[in-house]
Amino acid sequence: MRWISHIAIAGSICAVFNPAAVPAAVLGSTAPDWFEFVKRAVQRNRPVKHRGSTHYLVGWVAAALFGLLIWDWRDLVYWFSVGGAIHWFCDALTVSGAPVGWWSDRRVTLFGGKVQTGRPSEYLITFLVVLLCAILVWQRESTPGGFLPFFYDWSGLYRSGLIDGSEWKSNRFKLF
Ligand SMILES: [Zn+2]
């Protein structure tokens, strides 16, 4: 997939869960590709295969688990890695697929690998994911604290931010 699709998909998924981590997710969503440029620059004499080791799903999932369970800073490691994993899912939708790990030389495709990079099917999927995420964000904003349980924390903060304003002024003397 094109970078614009990777960025749009990972960025909007992350915005649903943790808006503050969107830059990390966007960076991670393109990382499997730009890691290749870095690898090529470092090992000039050895060819670097496109969608090779930088695209292993297990690597990105392991990194996400590391961020989740061992060490992280403001969830940035987690979302950077989730961005990389989302990149894998997007690439796996395309004709050439993406590798699960070092043992699988044959690339895996999802849903038959029907998506062709740069063709309308890619942009249609991107559009649908962004639209779905926009609906989820909108729904959360319009019903503070009333959305799915794992959004509670964030909308709780959002709500406490709201309460500081005029609402607090008019309600501060009301006990019930
Ligand atoms: Zn890729």
Side-chain angles (χ1 to χ4, degrees):
M1 275 203 184
R2 296 261 160 88
W3 276 26
I4 182 78
S5 311
H6 283 305
I7 289 169
I9 290 173
S12 50
I13 290 174
C14 184
V16 175
F17 296 94
N18 187 350
V22 167
V26 163
L27 217 58
S29 75
T30 49
D33 289 339
W34 60 258
F35 275 1
E36 277 177 8
F37 302 143
V38 175
K39 264 187 94 176
R40 278 199 189 100
V42 171
Q43 39 174 261
R44 273 195 212 140
N45 41 358
R46 273 194 295 157
V48 175
K49 202 169 67 171
H50 180 50
R51 291 189 186 177
S53 60
T54 63
H55 279 66
Y56 291 159
L57 176 63
V58 286
W60 291 106
V61 171
L65 287 175
F66 178 89
L68 203 61
L69 304 170
I70 298 167
W71 181 86
D72 207 339
W73 188 73
R74 299 189 179 193
D75 290 346
L76 295 186
V77 172
Y78 176 74
W79 278 105
F80 181 84
S81 314
V82 168
I86 291 170
H87 182 109
W88 184 92
F89 279 99
C90 294
D91 276 357
L93 290 172
T94 65
V95 181
S96 39
V100 174
W102 57 91
W103 63 86
S104 70
D105 207 32
R106 250 183 56 194
R107 283 161 176 177
V108 175
T109 54
L110 294 174
F111 308 112
K114 295 257 172 13
V115 176
Q116 285 174 295
T117 300
R119 301 297 297 276
S121 51
E122 175 182 334
Y123 299 118
L124 180 68
I125 286 180
T126 305
F127 174 76
L128 290 176
V129 171
V130 172
L131 182 69
L132 180 72
C133 292
I135 291 169
L136 290 174
V137 169
W138 173 78
Q139 198 179 350
R140 182 192 55 205
E141 305 262 329
S142 60
T143 53
F147 200 49
L148 298 173
F150 43 87
F151 296 132
Y152 179 78
D153 255 347
W154 194 84
S155 56
L157 283 173
Y158 187 75
R159 228 178 348 158
S160 61
L162 276 180
I163 286 165
D164 277 333
S166 58
E167 238 181 288
W168 178 77
K169 271 185 186 160
S170 59
N171 291 311
R172 64 191 151 162
F173 299 119
K174 286 183 193 162
L175 292 171
F176 305 105

